[in-house]
């Protein structure tokens, strides 16, 4: 799917505002609940989403040095530190304020922030027993990008797997193994969530990991 940057930015803005609405409607206790990302609470996930359009090259370099080159650790440390500095309502306000920003972390493609917010929205709601609709166009564009990108790990994780959406006219990937499911589940599968390939078919179990952030932080 070829999508121009203006449409991607509009989709990203809409998803960020929708996540802000979601977070604003959570109970106080939900903010300390775990997400699908190991060791990240909802509060810390919200901090990560708030930081996404605010992280510059200097922040990335200093964070990478502090984390000794471990990108996932850097992203986690930055989110945890930001969460410690701001209350839930402040983080929601930050997400709203920067919803339309086209800023992205060094190395990230225009569609990476869209994929990030789509995925992390699911990371938040699923452990809470909530559901969150995923719009078809943004989901397909993000899924096709992630499957092709060298940074998300999906090339290796989904090698030999053909994905077939059950809620849209879409297929992606090639191979003898087939997985079928809603676009949201396929997107989670491609990024290695435990609710992904292993939940859709036994053939994916060997490729599921705990990876929550692409090497290029978005």
């Amino acid at each position: 799917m070829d999508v121009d940057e203006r449409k991607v930015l509009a989709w990203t803005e809409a998803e960020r505002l929708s996540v802000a609405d979601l977070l604003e409607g959570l109970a106080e206790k939900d903010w300390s609940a775990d997400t699908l990302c190991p060791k990240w609470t909802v509060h810390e996930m919200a901090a990560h989403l708030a930081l996404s359009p605010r992280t510059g090259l200097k922040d990335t370099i200093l964070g990478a040095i502090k984390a000794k080159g471990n990108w996932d650790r850097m992203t986690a440390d930055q989110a945890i530190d930001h969460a410690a500095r701001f209350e839930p309502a402040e983080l929601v306000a930050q997400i709203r304020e920067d919803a339309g920003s086209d800023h992205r972390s060094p190395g990230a493609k225009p569609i990476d922030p869209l994929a990030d917010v789509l995925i992390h929205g699911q990371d938040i709601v699923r452990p809470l027993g909530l559901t969150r609709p995923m719009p078809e166009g943004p989901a397909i564009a993000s899924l096709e990008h992630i499957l092709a990108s060298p940074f998300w790990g999906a090339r290796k994780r989904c090698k030999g797997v053909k994905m077939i959406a059950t809620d849209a006219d879409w297929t992606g990937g090639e191979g003898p193994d087939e997985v079928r499911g809603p676009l949201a589940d396929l997107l989670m599968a491609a990024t290695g969530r435990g609710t992904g390939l292993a939940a859709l078919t036994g053939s994916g179990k060997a490729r599921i990991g705990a990876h929550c952030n692409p090497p290029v932080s978005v």
Side-chain angles (χ1 to χ4, degrees):
M1 174 186 287
D2 294 323
V3 186
D4 65 52
E5 290 189 22
R6 289 175 297 177
K7 179 170 283 190
V8 170
L9 183 59
W11 282 345
T12 305
E13 180 178 11
E15 285 303 305
R16 283 172 172 162
L17 291 173
S18 178
V19 165
D21 290 342
L22 164 70
L23 292 169
E24 199 167 47
L26 294 180
E28 183 178 351
K29 63 180 178 59
D30 293 334
W31 282 80
S32 60
D34 291 332
T35 67
L36 289 182
C37 285
K39 300 181 180 179
W40 277 24
T41 64
V42 171
H43 193 158
E44 290 155 355
M45 181 66 76
H48 168 69
L49 292 172
L51 277 173
S52 178
R54 297 180 175 217
T55 302
L57 179 59
K58 181 180 179 180
D59 300 316
T60 301
I61 293 173
L62 293 177
I65 293 172
K66 184 178 179 181
K68 298 180 179 179
N70 187 314
W71 206 278
D72 282 349
R73 184 186 302 166
M74 177 196 74
T75 305
D77 288 347
Q78 289 174 334
I80 291 169
D81 177 67
H82 200 64
R85 293 169 52 209
F86 294 99
E87 296 295 322
E90 294 175 302
L91 294 174
V92 171
Q94 290 173 16
I95 293 171
R96 289 193 192 283
E97 180 181 349
D98 296 327
S101 173
D102 62 356
H103 175 82
R104 54 187 186 272
S105 297
K109 300 296 183 183
I111 202 167
D112 280 314
L114 172 64
D116 194 54
V117 70
L118 285 173
I119 294 160
H120 288 323
Q122 299 296 314
D123 286 332
I124 292 169
V125 298
R126 294 190 178 205
L128 294 174
L130 303 174
T131 58
R132 177 171 169 75
M134 190 175 288
E136 182 177 307
I140 290 175
S142 297
L143 189 48
E144 290 182 349
H145 169 67
I146 286 170
L147 289 174
S149 170
F151 299 113
W152 288 82
R155 287 183 181 179
K156 180 178 179 180
R157 187 178 298 115
C158 302
K159 185 178 180 180
V161 175
K162 181 178 181 180
M163 292 186 166
I164 303 170
T166 57
D167 58 349
D169 183 17
W170 181 86
T171 60
E174 296 180 356
D177 295 330
E178 291 187 356
V179 292
R180 298 173 182 268
L183 287 168
D185 287 351
L186 296 178
L187 188 58
M188 300 302 278
T191 55
R193 268 58 177 177
T195 55
L197 286 178
L200 297 175
T201 174
S203 66
K205 290 182 179 178
R207 288 184 283 274
I208 290 297
H211 186 64
C212 262
N213 298 291
V216 175
S217 177
V218 296

